[in-house]
Every structure is written in C-alpha cells, then in structure tokens.
Amino acid sequence: MLLLYNFLLYIGFLALLPRLILQKEYRSTLRERLGHIPTPKKSNKKTVWLHCVSVGETQAARPLVNQLIQELPNHRLVISTTTLTGQKLARELFENQADMFFYFPLDFPFSVRRTLQRIKPEAILLMETELWFNLINEASKNGVKIFVVNARLSEKSVRGYRLIKRTMKKILRKIDLIMAQSETDAKRFRLLGVKEQNLITTGNLKFDQSLNETEHNLSRYFADRFGIDEQNNLILAASTHDPEESWLIEALRLLQNSGLSKLPRLMIAPRHPERFDSVAEQMKLSGFWFVRRSSLESPADRNSTLILLDSIGELRAVMPLAKIVFVGGSLIPHGGQNILEAAIAKKPIVTGFYTMNFQDIVNEFLKNNALIQLPKLEKDSIPAALAEVFARLLNDQLMRDEIAENAFKLMASSRGASIRSVEALKSRIIE
C-alpha cells in the first residue's frame, strides 16, 4: 500500500509542479519542502520538532509551546508549518521560544529523510490529524518518538481511513502516543486499531488560549483607529467563506429596517487571504461606506459601516471589541470554524447549521445555552435569519451577557489540556 501511496504522491506532485513554479511564494519555498532546510545551530540539547499546519494549529499550539519551554528545559524546539500564513504567524508568535522555523517536507521518502538527517529530532509532535505516512514510517525506523497532540478525527475521515484499515493500523501503531481532544475522537482512533496504551484523552488545547500583551495592545489600536466603543455596536464575522459575506452584508441591510436605534457596524475577516480582494469588491458594491484594515489610516476609518480585516493573525485581538461574533464556514457545508476564541473573549456566538468539524464542542455549548445556532435554511432565507438573530441580541443585553458568560465558564472549566499533554510527553520522552 505504501508503494501505491508513493506512486500517487509523485504523480500528483508532477501534475501540480507547473502551477507551483508559477506561484512565487511557493516557488521560493519548494527547495525547503524537498528537505533542503537550513542546518540548525549546534546545541547540546535534544530537539523536539513541532509541526503546525496553518494559522489555526499555530494559534492552538501557543499554550503547548509555553508549557514545553517551561517543563522541558533540556530540549530545544523547532517548528514547521505547511502554509505560508502559518509560517509567518509561527515566526511572530514563537520568535523567542523556538530555535528554528522551516516548511514541512513534502511526504516523499527522500525529502523526509533529508529533513530528519538535518534536524535529528528526539521527538516529533504532530498537531491534530497530520498523519503523513512516509514521515511516520521514516521517523519510526530512525528511532524518533512520534506523538499526535490535540488529535481529532472526524467521522468522514474515519470512513475514508477504514477503506485502507490494514495500512492505517500499521502506520498508527508506529505512533508512540495519540493525545485525543475528546473521548469521541479517542473512540474513532480505536476503530482504526490504535491500542489503549498508545491513546489518551487530554482535552482541547484551544481551551487553554488567552490574549497576550501584544494582542491587548492591538485591541486598543483597533478600538482607537476604527472608533469602536459601546455606542458603536460591532458585529464581527470571523473566518468567513464564500458566499457568507454576501449574506452577512444583506443581513446588515435588513437591519436598517429592524427598529434598532443605530445601525451596527460589520467587520468581516475572511478565512482565506486569497479572497481579501474579492470580498473588498463586494463591500465596495454594497453601497455601504467601507474600509480595509490594510489601507493607510484615515478619518473614514471611524465612520465606516463595513470593515474588512484583511490581515493574518489579528482576529483574536478584535474579539474583545465585538458585541456579537458570527463564526463562519457554518452557513455552507464546510463544517464550521473554531468558536472557542469568541468564548475566551466572553462574547455571544452565532453560527450556521453546518458545524460538523467541531460538533462535540458545539453540542456542549448548545446544551449549556452558550451559543446560538441557526437551523438548516434555504439560501434565500439566510440573510433574514441572520438579521433577526443579530437584532434580538443587540436589543437584549441580558441575553447577550448570559450566553457570553456561559461560553466563558465552559472555557474555564475545560482548561488544562496543555499541562496534561506535556506531562504525558515528559513521561515518554524522558526515561
């Protein structure tokens, strides 16, 4: 099966190679992704390699990294990411904690071997569900300990993996320890053949997040630049996908006739940076006064109805300024995005129907009246439903406060995943 996997991997890479070469950003990183990473500086410390895929996993790794640095002082940390945005954020967040940053190797045997030879890690920590066959296989052959941290596995992924259950069983048994986010995730790993001694439930690292001083300063900057205060009700639409922006803008238009004393402002933060320009064009055509975060500051910033947050890694700093947070990727069958950052900020959260990617968390929030979720709707009905929920929340401070407080309490009661994860790592890395 590994031979077939490698054959398909090579075919896919060759098919995509012309496209990658045309993209300057990927062209400049291709050599590194093939294993030609910089040589790490010499150190007497053993190396722990942490892999974060993109922005979400990098943000989630913050409490883990803090705990690793504190509890494993005789180890050094190197961090890889897959995406360009993840790499940029990792360098900003962990500049003073990690010894090295690099792009994750393409999962070819030669590029994986080359990377392992350069880094010589004692342990590899893979965030969430980064199950790369050749990396796991080659690391295991070289005696490197492999851990999956904050592990999650969707029902859809389980169905796919069970089609190659024998191969998955072999690969998963090369992993020293899988630290699952929830008991549901742990059960799904068991279905794929993971042994009990190699599986524990530690909780979700995202519950351990908090704003740092840089983000507090950035929050104050946004409040001042855009004139956001108690009189300027802000609805934050976080991690949106196409066509959610158009529905949100239409919902804002409907709020003009909802009886609110003042029209709220809407800040949209698209999930994918490549969509920033197209969302800006939608805002321009909407008829509302709009500004972009990336533009030069101007007096218009304080009076704009629409604000485009076209930046990376700044969403968390905006959360404390919002009256309501809508979490995107949930009005379409994408499966939703992370709701926990809004809960940390103690804000009432609204999502659409499609939250399969975070179903256990969403169910817990719904059970505790810590979230408003729209039912499954026809596309034409979505703007009106959004407008109705937004108006209800804006008119009822007690309702907003209750939902926000319940969300925050759930966060507080679920903390500790980073401590539990590092304790488990210490028992296996240090013998």
Side-chain angles (χ1 to χ4, degrees), residues 47 69-70 105 129 141 158 164 261 264 318 330:
T47 299
I69 297 300
Q70 180 180 319
T129 321
K141 284 196 297 186
V158 171
I164 52 168
S261 59
V318 181
S330 59

Side-chain angles (χ1 to χ4, degrees), residues 219-238:
S219 185
R220 287 189 284 269
Y221 164 77
F222 279 125
D224 180 64
R225 174 177 171 179
F226 296 106
I228 302 169
D229 55 28
E230 284 299 313
Q231 282 68 51
N232 282 273
N233 292 334
L234 178 70
I235 298 171
L236 173 62

Side-chain angles (χ1 to χ4, degrees), residues 364-387:
E364 190 67 18
F365 273 59
L366 288 171
K367 188 170 69 176
N368 288 275
N369 189 32
L371 170 76
I372 292 179
Q373 184 173 39
L374 297 180
K376 190 174 183 179
L377 298 165
E378 295 296 328
K379 292 179 181 179
D380 292 345
S381 304
I382 290 174
L386 285 169

Side-chain angles (χ1 to χ4, degrees), residues 370-424:
L371 170 76
I372 292 179
Q373 184 173 39
L374 297 180
K376 190 174 183 179
L377 298 165
E378 295 296 328
K379 292 179 181 179
D380 292 345
S381 304
I382 290 174
L386 285 169
E388 189 274 328
V389 168
F390 293 156
R392 185 154 39 103
L393 284 168
L394 290 170
N395 281 320
D396 192 336
Q397 182 176 339
L398 289 177
M399 182 184 184
R400 291 200 311 272
D401 291 346
E402 182 182 0
I403 293 171
E405 184 67 29
N406 290 341
F408 185 77
K409 284 179 179 177
L410 271 178
M411 286 290 302
S413 66
S414 302
R415 290 183 184 275
S418 56
I419 294 173
R420 289 188 287 272
S421 298
V422 173
E423 285 301 315

